[in-house]
Amino acid sequence: MASDKRGARLLSDLSNVFRKDPDIDEYDFLPVLEPKQNKSPIILVDHKLGLETWSVKVLYQYAYHTVLNWRNKGHPVQFLEPIELINLSRAVLLVNPECSTAWNIRKELIEADDITVLEELKFGALILSKHPKSAEAFSHRKWVLGKFLDSFLSSSHDSTTSNGSACSYEQGLVSMEAIDLSVEFVGGMPVVQHGVENGHQDLKLQPVSEYQAQMKAELRVCEKAAEKYPCNYYAWSHRIWVIQHCHNFCIQLLLGELQKTEGWVSKHVSDHSGFHYRQFLLSTLQRQAECLHNQFKLLYQNLLLKEHQFIVDLIHTYPGHEALWSHRKFVFHISYQVFSPEIGTVSTITMKDRGDHPEKPVESTKVSKKTRLENDHDVLKVKEVDSVTKKDLKSSNLYQRHLAKRYLEWMEKISFEYSR
Amino acid sequence: MGSPVKDVSIPENAPKTLLLQKHCDYIAAYGSKKDEYEYCMTEYLRMSGIYWGLTVMDLMGQLDKMNKQEVLDFVHQCQHECGGVGASIGHDPHLLYTLSAVQIVTLYDAQDTLDVEKLVQFVKDLQQEDGSFVGDKWGEVDTRFSFCAVACLALLGRLNEVNIDKAVDFILSCMNFDGGFGCRPGSESHSGQIYCCLGMLSIVGRLHHVNADMLGWWLCERQLPSGGLNGRPEKLPDVCYSWWVLASLKIIGKIHWIDKEKLVRFILACQDEETGGFADRPGDVVDPFHTLFGITGLSLLGEQILKPVNPVFCMPEETIRKAGIKLELLT
Ligand SMILES: [Zn+2]
């Protein structure tokens, strides 16, 4: 068939482009509907790849049928070399990243060492540059990162198994130096021991810093995808997964992420997924509150107070955003628990007493200084109701008033639930 | 300053009645007029596409317009040695399409089309130590897969084959402060995931773990002034999310918390008078996926001309009853 011949030709052109430039980092389809004489529909400028739309269909159909026919052992039975499978599956996925079978073929190629883990992470990032909310691209990425992690752990001989301990920090897990924190934290960097004796061939000589660089890059991949598509559920749940599985809930990283996303969510006040990510960070830190205090001299309650001030400021600056009010609910909910009389915490610190440096986590007060009010969380509630009633219920923005009213009703409901 | 609510407005001339026959014609003809490129772009989910088409036709009382034998032959061909079913011939097996296949053969009362023993084994093997389910051998974990696994087994009468206690524990570990559920522990609440988690808990009779008041509150806040429901805060309303939220509210006994009339008006406005079918929002291009959820939404809201839909399996209530499946719904 003529279109098959043309498809084969396009595939080989595309494969050559990737062979010549392994650092292609973005691509898109160019709105050219008809082929032009003597001009290739594949354009490469400065690591950016363009494919004319007419060629996309021809290329996709050829690659798709060839690779699926091979997968299904259809007729005529065909033998395909690994390099051909790499090229075919790449062509399919550039156009249709939801085709999970094509991703699976690549997983098999990785297992057979025909594609390296690092090459595949790069390819996945390329796909996400055009399809930032591809569920299958993120799913495949988790599998590839799992491989990367396995080979790294097997090449480092101390015990770095994730055992759910709150203070994995002390076990010298791999990721500590990967973090950018402009806030100075007390406590030195952990000593990471690693050996090379029984490493995976792909990775055996890679130092810890390579792992860290890769994981840092992974967070950037998530951020880029979140930037490209608002409320990107896949990008943000992937980011959570990375923190959980590749960084083992490392406290310093959690704090770093909390700080880093403050600017992002302030610029994307409608993006509930970004705020949820902060909720994930804060909930995770709550479980490590003791560690936070011992190692970083930070009081969890103060992080909450800071978050409360942060969200209230945003709500006043950007009235009428459901995502913001939803985050406020979370902050109130968790504070209401943390400041509960049973747990017994710092009643001496109130919303107003946060200190003069709201951008800096507040220094912990001495534990012995704690005096306990009867009902810390009732005080919290009264203040919150007062602030919403005096300010937000009187907003000139109709929707803000609606959201404020709903918030008060909701607050009534949850404080009732807790008192049961 | 205008209202910043993200919503759509329903045009004056949008459809206000159910164009039943148009939808039947649209679904019956779907596939026959698609071009080759479109066909292979969507083949990765063909099995689910067939389930959507058959279910919506059945709810409209016109299942006989579909080619039963052709469908069953196709389903049979898509089952792999391992017992799992792929989306189409040559596609790898996955729990998502395995459930669609089981739903299809149940609609047709033809479960012997599949090798049930192998299929059950496939599902069983996907359960993990923590009770979660992976979608296939490559290991992606998602609460959607917990629903798929349990729904498959329930339809086949084989629920006892997996560890239900652990499966429930995993679902509960994905619950958030707002009462909702996400795809994994720590993930954001999402209407589609909530539907799957509630469906799973309903099938195994563990809905008492759910905070129905809190979750009902969150779900009701999905309704926008247009009447349509969105899937998460500050997203646009969508017919498919309208179904997931509505079905979730039905499962936890809070369907009366939303404005039904407005929702009916929104769903009807998503019809295309010319081509038949429903779109995600008024004026958009129709597809079988949103057509199914438009119809199931209207059915759950009490549209008498349609067969009643089961809120958990998204199949005709009569099919679920015939299969002898008992579900828990909160009142
Ligand atoms: Zn939709």
Side-chain angles (χ1 to χ4, degrees), chain A residues 14-69:
Chain A
L14 182 74
S15 308
N16 281 332
V17 166
F18 274 92
R19 196 163 42 81
K20 270 187 241 149
D21 184 359
D23 294 322
I24 296 174
D25 57 7
E26 259 178 60
Y27 73 106
D28 211 339
F29 304 150
L30 310 169
V32 179
L33 302 177
E34 296 289 334
K36 285 183 210 119
Q37 281 291 308
N38 301 323
K39 188 177 165 286
S40 169
I42 302 173
I43 295 120
L44 181 68
V45 181
D46 194 21
H47 308 303
K48 314 290 175 226
L49 174 69
L51 298 170
E52 297 183 357
T53 41
W54 70 266
S55 71
V56 168
K57 289 189 178 188
V58 180
L59 172 72
Y60 179 75
Q61 288 182 58
Y62 171 76
Y64 179 82
H65 287 307
T66 310
V67 82
L68 260 297
N69 193 52

Side-chain angles (χ1 to χ4, degrees), chain A residues 64-65 233 272-273 276 323, chain B residues 36 43 91-92 186 188 232 234:
Chain A
Y64 179 82
H65 287 307
Y233 193 79
H272 187 260
S273 301
H276 172 81
Chain B
E36 170 66 14
E43 198 177 14
H91 285 254
D92 291 357
E188 184 186 1
R232 283 180 288 149
E234 299 205 44

